[in-house]
Amino acid sequence: SGNAKIVWKFDDTDFAGALLGKSKNDFDEVLSQYPHVDSAELSLSPVWVRTIPNKLKDIKVVVNYPK
């Protein structure tokens, strides 16, 4: 008896692939395709960049699993 915690293993490569070449404004639309994600933040650098990179190697996804 007791509580169980189930954690879904997030496929960050699939998520990054869905973001390739998208506009910053498309981020929420792409994120809506992943209903199991509680929250996400997009950070593009330098500040004037408005498009997510076209290459997976240029996208960094950081996943914070619950403790």
Side-chain angles (χ1 to χ4, degrees):
S1 69
N3 295 332
K5 183 182 280 190
I6 299 172
V7 178
W8 180 283
K9 175 73 170 116
F10 183 66
D11 187 348
D12 57 341
T13 303
D14 179 65
F15 181 66
L19 292 171
L20 288 175
K22 298 284 187 194
S23 162
K24 180 179 181 177
N25 295 332
D26 294 333
F27 180 71
D28 288 335
E29 180 182 330
V30 172
L31 186 60
S32 72
Q33 298 171 21
Y34 296 83
H36 54 276
V37 174
D38 288 336
S39 65
E41 179 181 309
L42 175 65
S43 176
L44 298 174
S45 180
V47 294
W48 58 82
V49 172
R50 299 283 182 222
T51 304
I52 298 167
N54 289 317
K55 297 177 184 173
L56 279 177
K57 70 178 186 78
D58 295 332
I59 297 176
K60 179 181 177 183
V61 177
V62 177
V63 179
N64 295 314
Y65 291 105
K67 295 178 181 178

